[in-house]
Amino acid sequence: MRVIIRKNAQAACVTAARLIASLIHQKPDAVLGLATGGTPVNCYAELIRLHRCGELDFSRVTSFNLDEYVGLPREHAQSFYSFMHENFFNHVNIDPSRIHLPNGNAEDLTKACDEYEQSIACAGGIDLQLLGIGSDGHIAFNEPGSSLASRTRVKTLCHETIRDNARFFGSEAAVPRLSVTMGVGSIMDARQCLLLVTGEKKAAAIRSAIEGPVTSQVTASALQFHRFATAVLDEPAASWLSRKSHCDFAESSMPDPDEILR
Ligand code: GLP
C-alpha cells in the first residue's frame, strides 16, 4: 500500500483531493466512490475550491456513496444524502442524475442492495473509491466480523460506531442501529482505493489496517490485498506506524501529488 504522510489534517485532505482531481483530469467521466464522516469534509472543500477556480469539471463524473443509515428520511440533517449535498454536491457541477447513494428507506432493502451493485456495474465499476476508517477499523459500515467478500447489504452498527457517531445526533439513542453499506468485496472491486485518515484517535486502527494481519476483525486491512491502494494520513494518525520513516523515504522518490494543478 502506498502511504503518504502529511503534517496535519488539512494538508492530508488537500493531497487526497489532488489525487482525485488528477484522476478526473485523466478521465473526465470517472466513476467516484465517495465517503462521509468528519474526515473528508476538507477534502470535499478542496475539490469545491478547484472547481470554483475553473480547474475541475464534474459534469461527466458519476458518484456512488458507500453507505446510508436505514430508516432515516433523506431530508434528515444527518442522513448521508444530506451530508453529501451540503458538503459537496450542491457546490459543484455534478449532474444530479449521476449521483447515487444507497436507499436506506427502500421497502425491499435486499432488492435495493442488489440493484445498487447492478448500477455500479452498469456505470463500468468504480475508478477511485474514497474511504475513511472507523475507530474499530471498519471501512464504510463493514463492522468487525464482516466477510471480506461481502457485497452491498444491511449491516448492524457496532456499539463503538454508535458511540462515535452520537456526536452528530446529539445522543447514542438517536443513532440508527442499521445501515445499508457497500461490502468489502464491492470496495475491493474499485480500480483504486484512497484511504484518508487523520487524527491520533485513528492511530491504532490505521496501524492494524496497514501493518496488522489481514482479518475480518479490521475490515480496512483487506486493502492490503488491493493492487492500487493509497493511504493519505496526517502525522498523528501515522504516529503508531512502525515503518513510518520508510513510508516517508519511499514517498520522497515519488511524484508529489500536491504538485498536480500547481
Ligand atoms: C462512518 C462511515 C465511514 C467513515 C467513518 C469515520 O462510520 N460509515 O465511512 O469512514 O464513519 O468517520 P469520521 O471521518 O467522522 O471519523
Side-chain angles (χ1 to χ4, degrees):
M1 197 182 310
R2 181 179 180 189
V3 180
I4 303 175
I5 302 167
R6 294 294 187 233
K7 264 231 128 15
N8 54 43
Q10 174 59 20
C13 287
V14 166
T15 297
R18 292 192 175 218
L19 288 166
I20 296 170
S22 146
L23 169 74
I24 298 171
H25 281 185
Q26 286 163 37
K27 190 176 179 193
D29 60 348
V31 179
L32 299 181
L34 298 177
T36 53
T39 311
V41 170
N42 284 338
C43 171
Y44 293 133
E46 173 67 5
L47 290 173
I48 294 166
R49 191 189 70 74
L50 292 171
H51 169 67
R52 289 191 175 143
C53 298
E55 302 258 19
L56 208 47
D57 175 18
F58 289 91
S59 61
R60 294 171 60 201
V61 166
T62 298
S63 72
F64 287 91
N65 261 82
L66 284 169
D67 45 14
E68 181 56 284
Y69 292 111
V70 167
L72 207 60
R74 244 165 58 154
E75 315 68 49
H76 189 287
Q78 297 309 329
S79 74
F80 290 163
Y81 178 93
S82 296
F83 173 95
M84 288 306 300
H85 283 79
E86 201 175 298
N87 289 290
F88 187 46
F89 298 143
N90 289 347
H91 311 285
V92 294
N93 65 335
I94 189 165
D95 175 348
S97 71
R98 293 183 189 272
I99 295 172
H100 305 83
L101 282 102
N103 180 2
N105 291 296
E107 235 168 72
D108 185 341
L109 285 170
T110 308
K111 186 161 164 262
C113 291
D114 291 346
E115 286 169 357
Y116 200 66
E117 290 277 336
Q118 281 159 24
S119 328
I120 296 172
C122 281
I126 292 173
D127 290 304
L128 183 151
Q129 177 65 60
L130 178 63
L131 296 160
I133 196 170
S135 48
D136 61 7
H138 71 233
I139 42 175
F141 272 132
N142 293 289
E143 296 286 28
S146 295
S147 158
L148 300 185
S150 50
R151 313 301 305 187
T152 304
R153 71 220 182 285
V154 174
K155 267 311 272 187
T156 306
L157 269 52
C158 281
H159 185 70
E160 199 169 340
T161 303
I162 293 171
R163 200 190 51 214
D164 285 349
N165 290 1
R167 71 191 195 275
F168 299 115
F169 287 85
S171 71
E172 284 187 19
V175 181
R177 269 39 187 171
L178 296 179
S179 67
V180 177
T181 179
M182 276 168 59
V184 181
S186 332
I187 292 166
M188 292 291 285
D189 281 352
R191 285 182 269 278
Q192 270 189 70
C193 285
L194 176 55
L195 178 65
L196 171 63
V197 182
T198 61
E200 207 190 338
K201 264 181 65 186
K202 300 287 177 66
I206 202 67
R207 182 178 64 177
S208 303
I210 295 178
E211 295 182 343
V214 174
T215 165
S216 63
Q217 301 308 306
V218 178
T219 54
S221 67
L223 295 171
Q224 293 178 33
F225 275 128
H226 198 285
R227 287 180 66 203
F228 297 106
T230 301
V232 180
L233 315 175
D234 67 356
E235 289 277 359
S239 58
W240 288 29
L241 292 181
S242 60
R243 304 191 73 245
K244 184 174 166 297
S245 56
H246 176 74
C247 298
D248 288 332
F249 174 60
E251 212 42 48
S252 64
S253 59
M254 296 284 281
D256 183 353
D258 288 4
E259 294 301 325
I260 304 161
L261 315 172
R262 200 169 265 164

